[in-house]
Every structure is written in structure tokens, then in C-alpha cells.
Amino acid sequence: MAAAATRSQTSNKEAISSAKPVSVLFVCLGNICRSPMAEGVFRNLTNYNTPDQHPLISRIDSCGTASFHSGSQPDSRTLAVLKDKAGLPNYRHQARKIKNPSDFEEYDYVIAMDEDNLIDLRDMVKRAKKRELSSGEEMKKVYLYGIFGGKSADEEVQDPYYGGKDGFEIAYEQVTRFGKGLLKHIEEDARREE
Ligand code: 4NP
């Protein structure tokens, strides 16, 4: 039994190390509150940019569907949560708007924080297809983050911008839980492709 378990763990590791790494883009509206938080937490979960970087992760970034905060650093409340809860005191990110169609081509997972973001992203793929800039296949890469959360498939990370600190703490709990679920999904996918 123990030997079988060890064999299975070894073959899981082999499957993971031979699979193609994937890229992940987190998307919200302004790219200053939720998606940079999701990005920072997922970087942490995958040891991104460290010698221990997860072998199935190639690239992580975040962006917004709107440009009104382009160039700004994350909201101070997002930075406070990343510092106090995730132990990331030096997280920096410059907000940017999503690029259509290139971000959809370049990333394997394009992940919306809420239903509005999801609708906007799907509309962008449809528009690119209409203009014959894309095949429309990119639609398969667009997900609501909550589907990886293990609770309700339509769980959203609500926009905390106009609320208090508690909204950012709720968002942190969600993006941590969803991030673990996403990583598990990526690992299971790699094993399936073995
Ligand atoms: P985010 O939050 O989409 O999570 O970055 C927001 C940030 C700014 C605004 C709305 C949402 N805003 O209206 O300026």
C-alpha cells in the first residue's frame, strides 16, 4: 500500500514536471483592488519568481477592463491586506487595461473577479471575432474566479472600492481560497494530460 502510494506520488510529480506551464491573467474593473490582490496571492501560492516557482506556472499578471486607473499602484487597502495577511510588504503593480486581442492570445487563463468583468471579457472576445482578429476560441480561456472556490459556482469577488476595510478582507479570503482551487485544477489538468 505504502509503496503503491509512493509510486503514485512519483508519477504525479513526473506528470507535473513534464506538462506545459500555464499563464494566468487576473481581471477586475480598475486593476487597483481585486485583481492585483488575486495576482499577489497567486504569486505567493506558486512561489512566483523564486527558485521554487511552481513548475506548472509560467506567467502571472493582472489588468482591468477599464483604463481610468492605468499607471496607478494598487489601492492602499489592497497593499495593506497583502502586507498584513499574505506577508507581502513589497508588492508593486502598475495598473493597466486589458489588451484585446493580445492578452487573450497570450494567456491560458483569463480570470474575472465578478460577473460584470466576465460579461465584459466575453464581449471583447466576441468583438475581436467579429472583426476577424480572433477565432473566438479564446472564449474557453475566460473564467469566473469563483468557480474554483469550492462553494457556489457563481461566487463573485465583490468590488470593495467604495466600502471599508472589511470588503478587502473578504476579498482576500476569497482570492486565497480560489487561488488554491485554481492551482489544484491546473495540477489535475496536468495529470489528465499525462
Ligand atoms: P477593482 O476596484 O476593479 O477591484 O480595481 C475598483 C477600483 C476603482 C473603481 C471601481 C472599482 N472606480 O470606480 O474608480
Side-chain angles (χ1 to χ4, degrees), residues 28-35 68-69 159-162:
C28 61
L29 176 64
N31 191 212
I32 57 168
C33 299
R34 294 164 292 173
S35 62
F68 38 74
H69 289 288
D159 180 358
Y161 184 67
Y162 291 105

Side-chain angles (χ1 to χ4, degrees), residues 100-101 105 125 128-138:
N100 185 19
E105 290 159 3
V125 176
K129 187 176 179 213
K130 211 168 171 184
R131 285 195 234 129
E132 298 183 353
L133 298 171
S134 106
S135 66
E137 281 294 293
E138 290 80 5

Side-chain angles (χ1 to χ4, degrees), residues 3 16 20 30 44 47 61 63 92 127 134 136 139 143 145 155 166 182 193:
I16 281 178
K20 187 174 168 284
N44 222 13
N47 298 313
D61 196 9
C63 66
R92 293 286 174 271
R127 276 203 300 278
S134 106
M139 199 67 94
Y143 299 85
Y145 207 8
E155 188 179 349
D166 56 335
L182 172 62
E193 282 171 18

Side-chain angles (χ1 to χ4, degrees), residues 131-186:
R131 285 195 234 129
E132 298 183 353
L133 298 171
S134 106
S135 66
E137 281 294 293
E138 290 80 5
M139 199 67 94
K140 290 183 197 152
K141 302 175 171 183
V142 179
Y143 299 85
L144 183 70
Y145 207 8
I147 68 160
F148 300 107
K151 289 189 180 172
S152 146
D154 57 3
E155 188 179 349
E156 299 178 88
V157 186
Q158 301 283 352
D159 180 358
Y161 184 67
Y162 291 105
K165 191 175 159 213
D166 56 335
F168 286 78
E169 289 172 351
I170 292 166
Y172 176 76
E173 184 281 319
Q174 290 180 303
V175 298
T176 303
R177 177 161 43 87
F178 299 174
K180 288 175 185 167
L182 172 62
L183 196 53
K184 194 167 162 225
H185 166 87
I186 291 169

